[in-house]
Amino acid sequence: MPTEVRGARTCPLLSRRALLAGGAGAVAAGLSGSLAVPALASDPATGGDGSFGMLVDLTECVGCRSCVYACQEANGWTGDPERPAIDGDQWTAVREVELPGDPGHVRYVRTQCFHCLDPACASACPVGALHKTPEGPVVYDAGRCIGCRYCMVACPFHIPRYQWETPLPLVAKCIMCAPRLERGESPACAEACPTGATTFGRRSELIAVARKRIADHPDRYVPRIYGLTEAGGTSWLYLSDVPFEELGFASVGSTPPPQKTQAVMEKVPVVAVGVAALMAVVRWWEGARESRDEARDARERAGTPSGKEPGA
């Protein structure tokens, strides 16, 4: 159970109204503000910023899907919890993976938002509809969303979904039960897990627990904590006895995606100025040509030979 939950972060984010009212100017202002990439509060390998996280021990998961049922109930979804993939109305799923070269033996793998420490979805959102809270969850404000779906493209884990089948579709993903955290409660999935496969707590403490399990049972676990540094570190951490690549986990590297795109975004103003200068030159050239054409036409109407002014 969380012992301390701070209030939600207040950020000068761009609202939908500001975007529509301000047009391109507002977009530019939003880009300069909401796309700024904040520095990580601490080393992701230690998780010392005090935020919360989840530890999923795949060796403890029995595939009961209690986590999925609890998520559906907590969020009011009515979809089939037995589906093996997340969707617009199912924010977590358990898929069964048969082990390569070991027919009949499976592992159950949970899938949901990883809640990156430096989330690419938030950095890509032009209106600030997604942001990372100090407590750990990456939350979504449907009132700001304009449906551009840049977050879906930016996510290195391909998590956000779009509610294509609803009249007013929204982006959908796990929010780590942020409202429950604000009430001092654990996420519904962790509370419902009967085997302790999903554990909630401070990320730094979960890292310590994971390292101890690996040290105490080196024959049981692969020596790796998935999420420790992936994509710059995530709030969700995994332990496994099977190499993560064999279970379908993404190989995303350790550099936060926003740091990769930041270099590109920093060049946007330079490119914009260059394009504006080029357009000015083209407009001057076109104006000069029109002036020459008008002078030539005037000479031709006056019967003046080329190179002489009318009346000369």
Side-chain angles (χ1 to χ4, degrees):
M1 292 287 292
T3 56
E4 177 187 359
V5 178
R6 298 186 295 273
R9 178 190 297 176
T10 56
C11 299
L13 301 174
L14 185 65
S15 68
R16 177 187 300 211
R17 175 175 296 179
L19 174 71
L20 297 177
V27 171
L31 287 174
S32 63
S34 65
L35 287 187
V37 180
L40 293 177
S42 65
D43 181 356
T46 62
D49 63 355
S51 64
F52 293 107
M54 304 281 268
L55 174 62
V56 179
D57 189 336
L58 298 180
T59 69
E60 299 289 348
C61 183
V62 294
C64 67
R65 293 176 174 77
S66 296
C67 53
V68 184
Y69 282 92
C71 177
Q72 295 291 82
E73 181 178 355
N75 294 288
W77 299 125
T78 57
D80 179 10
E82 297 295 325
R83 285 181 297 180
I86 58 174
D87 207 339
D89 61 354
Q90 182 173 326
W91 292 354
T92 186
V94 176
R95 55 189 172 87
E96 186 175 305
V97 181
E98 185 167 314
L99 301 183
D102 194 2
H105 290 83
V106 301
R107 292 293 180 273
Y108 299 98
V109 180
R110 279 198 63 183
T111 302
Q112 71 295 304
C113 175
F114 285 76
H115 297 275
C116 300
L117 302 185
D118 194 356
C121 59
S123 70
C125 181
V127 294
L130 290 152
H131 71 277
K132 178 83 170 176
T133 68
E135 292 75 31
V138 176
V139 297
Y140 171 66
D141 185 346
R144 293 179 180 274
C145 182
I146 59 174
C148 68
R149 302 188 293 280
Y150 288 169
C151 55
M152 298 172 65
V153 177
C155 177
F157 301 104
H158 309 292
I159 294 299
R161 295 293 190 272
Y162 202 58
Q163 298 172 329
W164 296 101
E165 298 179 354
T166 62
L168 297 173
L170 298 171
V171 170
K173 73 168 201 66
C174 163
I175 56 172
M176 212 164 100
C177 284
R180 290 174 61 95
L181 266 62
E182 292 179 354
R183 297 194 299 267
E185 302 172 2
S186 301
C189 60
E191 194 171 274
C193 182
T195 65
T198 299
T199 306
F200 171 71
R202 300 281 180 188
R203 185 174 185 271
S204 56
E205 297 171 355
L206 295 176
I207 291 172
V209 169
R211 285 176 169 156
K212 187 174 189 307
R213 289 185 188 178
I214 293 174
D216 290 347
H217 305 283
D219 56 336
R220 182 174 184 179
Y221 297 101
V222 295
R224 179 184 177 188
I225 305 171
Y226 189 91
L228 188 64
T229 60
E230 276 71 16
T234 65
S235 295
W236 281 69
L237 307 166
Y238 284 79
L239 286 177
S240 174
D241 59 342
V242 178
F244 290 100
E245 290 76 9
E246 296 182 11
L247 298 175
F249 282 75
S251 298
V252 298
S254 59
T255 301
Q259 291 189 11
K260 297 178 182 177
T261 58
Q262 182 72 1
V264 177
M265 296 305 296
E266 289 174 348
K267 292 181 173 57
V268 169
V270 177
V271 173
V273 170
V275 170
L278 176 61
M279 294 303 295
V281 171
V282 171
R283 180 68 187 93
W284 173 83
W285 176 264
E286 288 292 327
R289 190 180 66 176
E290 289 176 0
S291 297
R292 290 195 300 271
D293 291 345
E294 289 175 359
R296 183 194 60 201
D297 293 343
R299 288 193 297 270
E300 290 177 354
R301 286 194 298 272
T304 304
S306 177
K308 293 184 179 180
E309 294 297 327

